């Protein structure tokens, strides 16, 4: 090794030793939910006055997720723990809830603002509670309250002042979904970042903890649905075994306001061996899809619905039986409609 290279390597080693641990321990896993300690002492001290306690008066799974996120975020940003409390007994509490779950929120009479925000919007306000100054995150639903919690933590990540808050937000789009192209064998079609997050072999008995972090990250940006399997769907995806596995994922997503959707193969009634045909206008096929929808909703009461790739790139569809796309879509829609589910029909304009 020549002297120039030796001096360069020595200098790099010395520089690495001077870096704080966080500078080279970052692996990207936390995404935008890093919650690193605020270095500006004046800003941190101001935030500490606004975060003396966490008051969430519900014990639902979503409420627990809200408390967990606030505890995680405030500990990271402030460098100290902030504990839950039953009521506002001093200045600076953070109150999160809905009029139905929180007497504090109900007493603030935010009806007009919450009506504007809708089912999944939220309001963040500075308010007086029991004679004490508090920061209130209010929503009509607990999912909206969770979205508002993430917004409040974002304001702190952005170092925004928390005095005299009056924030109102509502989503412009009702269904905000991710569409995975994950296969049952763990591979991902056009997947460039490793294998599928869903470990079907371990489900339903074990849900990978990363699934919770996936749900947290999605909820933090308002995603409220996910299609967990590829549009080139394996008919086994709708078999009872895999539906029980999918239900375990749905249970993990639910506290974060995320509904499960599945890609459906239109040939499943025939491919499963249950029927000799998958003709969408055959009465046996119509009955099969209705019974399948009933089975799914027994396992996943808030199931979102189906995505179907029909008669394109080799996938089966209603045109295989001389039927229209409307015929195919409507047989599924009729099966889902009593449960409130929807069909997203993905039909290309070529190759059919």
């Amino acid at each position: 090794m020549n002297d120039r290279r030796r001096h360069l390597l020595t200098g790099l080693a010395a520089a690495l030793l001077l870096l704080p641990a966080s500078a080279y321990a970052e692996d990207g896993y936390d995404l935008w939910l890093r919650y690193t300690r605020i270095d500006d002492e004046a800003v941190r001290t101001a935030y500490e006055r606004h975060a003396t306690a966490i008051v969430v008066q519900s014990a639902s799974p979503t409420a627990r997720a809200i408390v967990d996120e606030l505890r995680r975020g405030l500990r990271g940003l402030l460098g100290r723990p902030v504990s839950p409390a039953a009521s506002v007994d001093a200045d600076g509490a953070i109150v999160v809830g809905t009029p139905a779950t929180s007497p504090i929120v109900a007493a603030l009479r935010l009806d007009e603002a919450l009506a504007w925000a809708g089912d999944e919007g939220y309001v963040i306000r500075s308010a007086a509670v029991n004679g004490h100054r508090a920061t209130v995150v209010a929503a009509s639903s607990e999912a909206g309250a969770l979205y508002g919690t993430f917004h409040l933590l974002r304001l702190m990540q952005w170092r925004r002042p928390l005095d005299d808050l009056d924030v109102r937000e509502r989503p412009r789009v009702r269904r905000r979904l991710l569409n995975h192209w994950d296969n049952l064998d763990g591979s991902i079609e056009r997947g460039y970042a490793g294998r599928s997050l869903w470990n079907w072999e371990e489900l339903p008995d074990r849900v990978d903890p990363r699934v919770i972090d996936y749900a947290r990250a999605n909820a933090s940006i308002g995603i409220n649905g996910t299609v967990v399997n590829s549009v080139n769907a394996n008919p086994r995806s709708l078999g009872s075994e895999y539906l029980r596995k999918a239900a375990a994922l749905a249970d993990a997503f639910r506290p974060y306001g995320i509904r499960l959707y599945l890609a459906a193969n239109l040939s499943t009634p025939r491919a499963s061996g249950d029927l000799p045909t998958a003709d969408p206008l055959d009465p046996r096929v119509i009955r099969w899809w209705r019974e399948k929808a009933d089975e799914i909703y027994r396992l996943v009461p808030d199931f979102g619905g189906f995505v179907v790739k029909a008669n394109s790139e080799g996938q089966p569809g209603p045109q295989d039986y001389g039927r229209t796309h409307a015929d195919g879509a409507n047989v599924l829609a009729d099966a889902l409609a009593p449960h409130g589910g929807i069909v997203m029909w993905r039909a290309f304009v070529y190759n059919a």
Side-chain angles (χ1 to χ4, degrees), residues 336-349:
L336 295 172
H339 306 282
I342 65 167
V343 175
M344 292 173 279
W345 194 258
R346 189 178 185 272
F348 290 10
V349 297

Side-chain angles (χ1 to χ4, degrees), residues 134-151:
T135 301
V136 177
V137 180
S140 296
S141 69
E142 290 198 320
L146 177 65
Y147 298 148
T149 297
F150 281 113
H151 190 133

Side-chain angles (χ1 to χ4, degrees), residues 32-37 69 72-78 150 153-154 157 216 220:
W32 47 87
L33 301 176
R34 282 183 177 85
Y35 302 139
T36 54
R37 186 173 184 271
E69 200 65 36
R72 182 197 303 257
L74 295 174
R75 176 188 280 275
L77 293 166
L78 304 180
F150 281 113
L153 289 170
R154 272 196 300 275
Q157 287 175 300
R216 286 180 54 235
S220 76

Side-chain angles (χ1 to χ4, degrees), residues 238 261-262 264 289 296 303-308 332 336 342-344:
L238 297 186
Y261 293 73
L262 290 171
W289 281 110
I296 292 172
F303 180 65
F306 293 135
V307 176
V308 183
L332 299 184
L336 295 172
I342 65 167
V343 175
M344 292 173 279

Side-chain angles (χ1 to χ4, degrees), residues 61-336:
T62 299
R64 290 196 295 271
I66 289 169
V67 172
D68 289 346
E69 200 65 36
L70 282 171
R71 296 184 74 174
R72 182 197 303 257
L74 295 174
R75 176 188 280 275
L77 293 166
L78 304 180
R80 64 170 181 79
V82 178
S83 300
S87 61
V88 178
D89 297 323
D91 286 347
I94 295 175
V95 179
V96 185
T98 73
T101 63
S102 170
I104 293 174
V105 172
L108 292 174
R109 302 306 299 267
L110 300 171
D111 304 37
E112 182 178 347
L114 293 180
W116 177 89
D119 290 341
E120 294 183 299
Y122 52 85
V123 175
I124 306 175
R125 283 194 182 171
S126 301
V129 177
N130 297 335
H132 299 292
R133 186 173 177 81
T135 301
V136 177
V137 180
S140 296
S141 69
E142 290 198 320
L146 177 65
Y147 298 148
T149 297
F150 281 113
H151 190 133
L152 177 61
L153 289 170
R154 272 196 300 275
L155 292 176
M156 298 178 72
Q157 287 175 300
W158 295 338
R159 312 301 191 252
R160 300 289 173 81
L162 299 186
D163 301 295
D164 301 319
L165 287 172
D166 187 7
V167 175
R168 296 194 306 170
E169 294 283 347
R170 65 181 181 188
R172 293 183 181 180
V173 178
R174 182 177 178 184
R175 295 181 176 90
R176 306 175 299 278
L177 279 70
L178 296 185
N179 186 1
H180 288 266
W181 282 21
D182 295 24
N183 300 312
L184 299 186
D185 64 1
S187 64
I188 303 175
E189 187 173 348
R190 300 181 190 174
Y192 306 109
R195 297 192 45 89
S196 172
L197 184 61
W198 329 125
N199 192 332
W200 296 106
E201 291 185 0
E202 294 185 348
L203 290 165
D205 298 323
R206 178 182 181 273
V207 177
D208 192 312
R210 295 179 301 164
V211 172
I212 304 301
D213 290 331
Y214 165 91
R216 286 180 54 235
N218 285 326
S220 76
I221 56 173
I223 296 295
N224 66 0
T226 184
V227 187
V228 297
N229 59 322
S230 172
V231 291
N232 297 316
N234 188 323
R236 295 170 62 204
S237 300
L238 297 186
S240 297
E241 176 189 2
Y242 278 91
L243 289 179
R244 287 192 294 271
K245 294 172 182 287
L249 292 177
D251 291 344
F253 297 153
R254 191 170 295 110
Y256 294 90
I258 297 171
R259 298 176 73 177
L260 176 84
Y261 293 73
L262 290 171
N265 187 310
L266 205 71
S267 72
T268 301
R270 179 180 56 79
S272 65
D274 292 340
L275 295 175
T277 180
D279 180 351
L281 296 190
D282 187 302
R284 295 169 296 176
V285 174
I286 294 171
R287 183 169 57 252
W288 189 95
W289 281 110
R290 287 177 178 169
E291 291 174 353
K292 181 56 63 175
D294 292 343
E295 178 187 1
I296 292 172
Y297 280 95
R298 283 194 295 271
L299 294 167
V300 185
D302 57 350
F303 180 65
F306 293 135
V307 176
V308 183
K309 179 180 176 182
N311 284 124
S312 59
E313 298 181 328
Q315 291 300 302
Q319 293 180 342
D320 297 351
Y321 299 92
R323 311 303 188 185
T324 67
H325 283 296
D327 293 331
N330 285 335
V331 70
L332 299 184
D334 288 343
L336 295 172

